[in-house]
Amino acid sequence: FKQKTAYEMLRSLVGSEMCIRDRYMGVVGQFFGTQGPVSLIFPSERNVFLREENSGLYRISSYFVGKLIVELPLLIIQPALFALGSYWTTNLNTSSTQTVLIFVLINVIQAFNGFTIGILTGSMFKDPKLATALTPLLLLPFLVFGGFYVTESDIPVFLRWFKYLSPFKYALEALTYNEFNNFYDRYPKFIPTPMEIFGQTLGLWTSVGLLIGLGFVYLILSFSFLKMLTKKLQ
C-alpha cells in the first residue's frame, strides 16, 4: 500500500495496514517461488514432451494431469507452512480460526497461479535461459497493475483492463478483506473503510474465486499452446 494511506487511517489501523503490506509481499514470494523453477525447467521438458506425444506415448491431457498430481503436494504444503509460520509474527488478525485458514488458502492459491503461469511461459520458449530472461518482462505488468504499487486512479483508462489479468490484484483484495473482515464491529464509526480507500469492491470470496479461476485460465492457455505445437509437428 502507498505510505500516504497510513495517514488516512486511524492510528490503531496503521499496524494492520503495514501487516497487509508484508503479507502481500509474502504471496508475491509464493507466486515467484513456484513460477521461477517451472519457467526454468519446463523448456527442457517441453522438447521431450513434444517428441513423446508425437510418438503417441501419451496425450497432452495425461501429461498435464500427471504433472499436477506430482506437483500438487508441494504446491499445498510449502505455502501452507510458510503462511502458518509467518502469520502471528506479523501481527495479523487473529479474531477467528477461519481468518487464519483463509490466509493459508490465499497463499496456496497464489502458489498455484505461479505454477500455471510458469508452465505457460515455459512452454513459450525452447531455451531455459531465454525463458528466465524474458519472463520477468512479461510478468512486470501484473505487478504494476495489481493495485499495490499503483492505484487504479493513477493508471491510464486504456490500460486499466490489464488489472483483471493480474493474480496479484485478486490476492491483494482477498488479503485486505480477510484482515478487516470484522472491521465494522471493531470500528463502527470509521468511514471510509480500508477497502473503500483502495477501491476494492469484489469482496473476499469473489476475489478468492477469481484467483482460482485465473489459475485454471492460464493452465488452459498452456494446454492450448502445447496442443498447437504438437499439431505443427504432425
Side-chain angles (χ1 to χ4, degrees), residues 13 16 87 92-99 102 174-190 193-195 204:
L13 293 179
S16 294
Y87 194 88
L92 287 176
N93 184 355
T94 56
S95 60
S96 67
T97 303
Q98 179 181 352
T99 302
I102 291 174
L175 286 171
T176 306
Y177 271 94
N178 190 51
E179 172 66 14
F180 300 106
N181 60 1
N182 58 346
F183 183 85
Y184 284 111
D185 294 336
R186 289 183 287 169
Y187 310 103
K189 297 182 179 180
F190 185 74
T193 66
M195 289 74 77
L204 173 59

Side-chain angles (χ1 to χ4, degrees), residues 47-196:
N47 296 329
V48 177
F49 159 74
L50 291 174
R51 183 171 62 251
E52 293 180 348
E53 197 278 341
N54 192 50
S55 301
L57 295 178
Y58 48 76
R59 296 179 299 177
I60 299 178
S61 57
S62 302
Y63 175 79
F64 266 81
V65 171
K67 192 166 185 63
L68 279 174
I69 291 175
V70 171
E71 298 288 346
L72 198 58
L74 183 62
L75 289 175
I76 295 175
I77 295 174
Q78 190 272 334
L81 291 177
F82 171 84
L84 289 173
S86 62
Y87 194 88
W88 283 272
T89 60
T90 50
N91 195 32
L92 287 176
N93 184 355
T94 56
S95 60
S96 67
T97 303
Q98 179 181 352
T99 302
V100 180
L101 293 178
I102 291 174
F103 175 77
V104 174
L105 177 64
I106 295 170
N107 276 264
V108 171
I109 298 172
Q110 190 71 339
F112 172 72
N113 273 273
F115 171 77
T116 57
I117 292 183
I119 292 180
L120 177 59
T121 56
S123 64
M124 295 168 61
F125 305 102
K126 294 182 180 180
D127 187 358
K129 294 182 179 179
L130 186 62
T132 304
L134 294 182
T135 296
L137 297 178
L138 298 175
L139 296 180
L140 182 61
F142 287 162
L143 282 172
V144 173
F145 298 123
F148 181 78
Y149 298 104
V150 180
T151 59
E152 182 176 347
S153 59
D154 296 327
I155 302 174
V157 176
F158 65 93
L159 290 177
R160 291 180 184 178
W161 61 271
F162 201 89
K163 66 181 181 180
Y164 298 109
L165 302 178
S166 173
F168 302 110
K169 165 184 167 55
Y170 304 116
L172 175 62
E173 189 152 344
L175 286 171
T176 306
Y177 271 94
N178 190 51
E179 172 66 14
F180 300 106
N181 60 1
N182 58 346
F183 183 85
Y184 284 111
D185 294 336
R186 289 183 287 169
Y187 310 103
K189 297 182 179 180
F190 185 74
I191 298 175
T193 66
M195 289 74 77
E196 291 170 338

